[in-house]
Amino acid sequence: MHPHEKYIERCIRLAKNGLGTTYPNPLVGSVIVLNDKIIGEGWHYRAGMPHAEVNAISAVKNRNELKNATLYVNLEPCSHYGKTPPCAALILKSGIKRVVIGNLDPNPKVAGRGIKLLKENGCHVLSGILEEACFELNKRFFTYHQERRPYIILKWAQTADGFMAPSSEIRKKQEPVWITNEYSRQRVHKMRAEEMAILVGTTTAIQDNPSLTTRSWAGSNPVRVVLDRYLKLPSDLQIFNDEAQTIVLTEKKISGSRTDIIYEHVDFNIPLPEQICRILYEREIQSVIVEGGAKTLHSFIQEDLWDEAHVFSAPVTFREGIAAPKISAEAVFREAIKEDQLTIFKKKR
């Protein structure tokens, strides 16, 4: 492996520490290298806090070494004033003369301006190192800015005979019917902590009464999004508790919103996925898990509006019920979770 790739790979590993906490900012890691030795490194922890380059520079004990060092970062340093000062200006002020970058920043506020500022002030800049890996790291951020929609992850559990839920006649209580084991369910809560929002349809909200929180994993609860065309969902459902914000998509006109419950108007007579994507984009939500039910999942598949599908399979059978969705895509990952199996499908870009 080329040294540039080795250090950009280290940036990626550092950046992953911020997954789920940096929104709406991207995941960024940075290392500073002198004579093939890392003398400082850092990552972006949370929006409003110092960026990765700032933390890496701050970690260098002998600041005189910076003028001979190389700074590596997986995403182009910012060049504008936001909640924090621009990193490109700090790099120049520190005396660093060589910068190696993974991806250019797709955010219109940056979009090459960081590199331009560095070059115009005497920095040697090399970009495009491990571009695919850097894109994968920030797939949510790139999709949001380039396609003007959130990154969409479909998720469901299915039985060995291909059902994702039992028939309504079999249900005895208003609660989830678990297909997978507790470890798979914990994995789902980890997913929720990593994404910004989670979406369910009306039937799922009524029959399962889910809370859609991260009860079994440390991290922030995602924004809950629920379809409720006629506003028929009972107010005592868990999705309306105060553990997270909830966006209700409805065709009814509602004046005013509570702080934790927001109503958005959609037209149920035309396909919903594009409307949902527009609303979430406008609310700066970069990723969403579409968790159910079958009708909601099918609508996203039918409109070809999805990026990944996480399918949990378990060795149980229902014999009858609601059929799990079918998806035509490449399986890029498989993992056994005790007797369950997680398969991740990814749509080709």
Side-chain angles (χ1 to χ4, degrees):
M1 179 181 285
H2 191 280
H4 288 337
E5 294 180 346
K6 177 176 72 173
Y7 292 122
I8 289 294
E9 190 176 73
R10 176 62 181 167
C11 291
I12 291 171
R13 288 202 300 271
L14 289 167
K16 287 180 179 177
N17 289 317
L19 184 57
T21 65
T22 67
Y23 295 121
N25 293 351
L27 297 166
V28 184
S30 180
V31 299
I32 299 173
V33 178
L34 179 64
N35 299 324
D36 203 27
K37 179 183 176 183
I38 294 176
I39 60 173
E41 62 181 23
W43 68 90
H44 183 41
Y45 305 129
R46 188 179 296 276
M49 296 182 70
H51 290 186
E53 301 94 318
V54 177
N55 290 327
I57 291 170
S58 298
V60 176
K61 293 179 180 178
N62 182 356
R63 296 300 179 91
N64 291 325
E65 293 181 328
L66 289 172
K67 63 181 181 292
N68 296 313
T70 301
L71 181 142
Y72 291 83
V73 62
N74 60 282
L75 191 69
E76 176 185 3
C78 62
S79 55
H80 65 291
Y81 282 87
K83 292 182 179 178
T84 59
C87 292
L90 176 67
I91 291 169
L92 293 169
K93 185 179 179 180
S94 72
I96 293 171
K97 296 295 183 184
R98 289 182 297 277
V99 178
V100 179
I101 298 167
N103 287 138
L104 270 65
D105 193 326
N107 187 341
K109 294 179 180 178
V110 185
R113 293 184 182 90
I115 290 176
K116 184 173 183 284
L117 180 63
L118 292 171
K119 285 183 174 180
E120 287 177 345
N121 287 275
C123 253
H124 175 73
V125 180
L126 179 65
S127 61
I129 307 301
L130 293 184
E131 278 187 295
E132 280 298 316
C134 290
F135 178 91
E136 177 64 21
L137 171 71
N138 275 310
K139 56 195 176 186
R140 303 160 182 85
F141 186 73
F142 275 85
T143 299
Y144 179 80
H145 285 288
Q146 292 178 336
E147 300 190 32
R148 299 175 68 84
R149 66 167 176 84
Y151 192 83
I152 301 167
I153 300 173
L154 311 180
K155 174 263 163 186
W156 69 85
Q158 63 185 30
T159 64
D161 53 352
F163 295 102
M164 64 176 293
S167 60
S168 56
E169 291 78 13
I170 297 175
R171 285 180 177 270
K172 294 183 175 63
K173 297 180 181 178
Q174 188 187 37
E175 62 183 29
V177 176
W178 299 118
I179 293 173
T180 55
N181 62 42
E182 60 182 306
Y183 304 103
S184 293
R185 298 199 291 273
Q186 185 181 49
R187 181 63 169 266
V188 170
H189 286 211
K190 178 177 181 290
M191 281 179 62
R192 292 175 182 175
E194 294 171 351
E195 310 306 334
M196 289 191 74
I198 184 167
L199 166 70
V200 294
T202 310
T203 303
T204 298
I206 292 174
Q207 292 186 342
D208 291 355
N209 191 21
S211 62
L212 305 180
T213 58
T214 58
R215 302 180 303 283
S216 301
W217 196 266
S220 300
N221 293 323
V223 174
R224 300 174 294 200
V225 186
V226 61
L227 296 168
D228 189 6
R229 181 173 187 173
Y230 302 113
L231 292 181
K232 68 179 184 180
L233 292 178
S235 60
D236 59 352
L237 290 179
Q238 292 189 91
I239 202 169
F240 295 124
N241 64 29
D242 60 2
E243 293 180 33
Q245 187 180 73
T246 299
I247 298 173
V248 180
L249 305 178
T250 180
E251 69 177 15
K252 299 292 184 181
K253 299 288 186 181
I254 297 292
S255 58
S257 296
R258 283 168 40 187
T259 304
D260 57 340
I261 301 179
I262 296 167
Y263 295 91
E264 288 278 6
H265 181 265
V266 292
D267 185 350
F268 280 78
N269 295 310
I270 60 176
L272 290 174
E274 282 196 13
Q275 298 181 74
I276 294 169
C277 286
R278 174 184 54 77
I279 289 167
L280 297 186
Y281 174 81
E282 290 171 353
R283 291 195 167 274
E284 298 187 339
I285 291 175
Q286 293 183 9
S287 66
V288 60
I289 303 170
V290 182
E291 188 157 311
K295 185 178 178 181
T296 305
L297 286 162
H298 279 301
S299 70
F300 278 86
I301 295 170
Q302 187 173 357
E303 294 298 311
D304 201 31
L305 261 178
W306 63 280
D307 298 286
E308 296 180 13
H310 293 221
V311 182
F312 292 81
S313 303
V316 299
T317 57
F318 283 167
R319 297 190 180 181
E320 60 177 298
I322 299 171
K326 302 290 183 185
I327 202 159
S328 178
E330 179 185 2
V332 297
F333 178 83
R334 285 188 174 89
E335 179 185 0
I337 307 177
K338 295 199 75 175
E339 68 274 13
D340 296 347
Q341 177 165 290
L342 166 62
T343 305
I344 297 178
F345 299 89
K346 183 167 285 192
K347 190 172 73 172
K348 286 186 178 181
R349 287 194 287 121

